[in-house]
Amino acid sequence: MSVLLQISDTHFGTEQGAVVDALGTLAQRQRPDVLVLSGDITQRARPAQFRAARAFVDRLGAPVLAVPGNHDIPLFDLWARLRKPYGRYSAAFGTDLEPVHRSAELLIVGVNTTRPWRHKDGELSALQIDRVARLLKLADPGQLRVVVVHQPIAVTRAEDELNRLRGHAAALQHWAEAGADLVMGGHIHLPYVMPLQGLLRPLWVVQAGTAVSSRVRDGSPNSVNLLRWGVDAAPGCCRIEQWDYEADDQAFRLAKISEVRPDRS
């Protein structure tokens, strides 16, 4: 079995020590094969915040696929934002802003949806959409095909529509046709698994809450997602687990299970 741990919107600089420790314990117990960071790793893209985030990720002991979020670009340092918007991010997490992870059971494609000239809105260009589609078409039949963005590609509530990625409609059509199974994201600090309709193939959106930050939303606790896929799972089934932080226990507990069956016909 392959286990993927999705951590989003850690916002280091606003992290809570007890939650950070609890997430470290969860990772030690679950031993994920890959760690996905779906953006907003820091609160204000400061070097110390990136160092703290990198040190935490190194504690988890798994290969990392990270994409930047809008908070990972300096906001108040205008020189850095204009001249080297990803310089601090790259120093901590590498210069590849759109990494790819491949294993026998997983194909994970990262997409940089941030734009230095935008405050928080995300965007997908035609070139990015085509690049992801080409990679998806090369996937092996046994691989779960996952695309990772920061801002959500689909939302469940009208008030979140403004946060939806620009270019989402074209991306969903092309990626579904190319064989995508899941699109993972963050940004709105609201976890859900959402099946999408009207596409050529089944496709699900998997959103994560804020992992360790005090910036929780609408009463939703800190949360992360665990995905399980492969030979030891139910045949053809991807199990998506939402793990919520419980303050009374100071631990992450399994809160919700969603099972999806990607189309392999």
Side-chain angles (χ1 to χ4, degrees):
M1 175 184 289
S2 291
V3 179
L4 181 159
L5 174 59
Q6 182 194 11
I7 297 176
S8 196
D9 298 271
T10 49
H11 288 281
F12 270 86
T14 66
E15 76 276 16
Q16 304 169 92
V19 187
V20 169
D21 291 341
L23 184 49
T25 299
L26 177 67
Q28 291 170 4
R29 291 175 177 172
Q30 298 294 329
R31 301 180 64 184
D33 299 285
V34 60
L35 172 65
V36 167
L37 297 179
S38 44
D40 279 1
I41 300 168
T42 65
Q43 175 64 10
R44 284 289 173 249
R46 292 172 179 151
Q49 293 171 359
F50 276 118
R51 288 195 295 269
R54 183 74 243 189
F56 169 70
V57 167
D58 289 342
R59 282 174 49 193
L60 303 185
V64 177
L65 182 145
V67 297
N70 52 291
H71 277 261
D72 298 319
I73 300 173
L75 178 61
F76 301 115
D77 186 339
L78 294 181
W79 186 92
R81 187 176 185 89
L82 295 174
R83 298 294 298 273
K84 293 185 177 181
Y86 300 104
R88 297 171 185 175
Y89 173 92
S90 297
F93 291 97
T95 58
D96 189 353
L97 304 181
E98 298 190 315
V100 178
H101 173 89
R102 294 180 178 89
S103 69
E105 296 179 334
L106 297 172
L107 171 65
I108 310 173
V109 181
V111 188
N112 176 23
T113 58
T114 64
R115 299 293 186 266
W117 57 88
R118 297 191 188 280
H119 179 208
K120 62 179 182 178
D121 290 350
E123 181 178 319
L124 290 162
S125 70
L127 288 175
Q128 288 177 307
I129 293 171
D130 289 343
R131 165 189 169 265
V132 172
R134 289 195 303 270
L135 290 169
L136 292 169
K137 289 176 180 177
L138 296 174
D140 295 333
Q143 288 177 314
L144 184 71
R145 303 152 197 172
V146 182
V147 181
V148 180
V149 296
H150 176 56
Q151 292 89 350
I153 203 164
V155 297
T156 59
R157 308 191 311 180
E159 56 261 44
D160 292 323
E161 190 63 38
L162 289 174
N163 292 303
R164 199 174 185 187
L165 276 169
R166 298 167 185 256
H168 62 269
L172 289 173
Q173 293 291 342
H174 282 77
W175 294 350
E177 183 179 1
D181 298 315
L182 310 174
V183 180
M184 307 185 80
H187 186 63
I188 56 176
H189 299 195
L190 190 66
Y192 53 85
V193 176
M194 178 183 180
L196 300 182
Q197 308 298 324
L199 301 174
L200 292 177
R201 294 178 63 262
L203 182 60
W204 290 266
V205 168
V206 180
Q207 284 286 127
T210 175
V212 299
S213 172
S214 59
R215 300 180 67 231
V216 293
R217 175 180 175 181
D218 296 341
S220 296
N222 296 103
S223 68
V224 298
N225 293 324
L226 274 167
L227 276 66
R228 305 183 193 274
W229 169 263
V231 294
D232 294 330
C237 179
C238 175
R239 177 181 167 112
I240 304 168
E241 301 173 356
Q242 178 183 321
W243 288 70
D244 290 353
Y245 178 75
E246 294 187 0
D248 290 344
D249 296 336
Q250 292 192 327
F252 280 86
R253 304 296 186 196
L254 180 59
K256 185 177 181 180
I257 297 173
S258 302
E259 291 188 342
V260 304
R261 293 186 176 274
D263 185 357
R264 289 296 180 267
S265 61

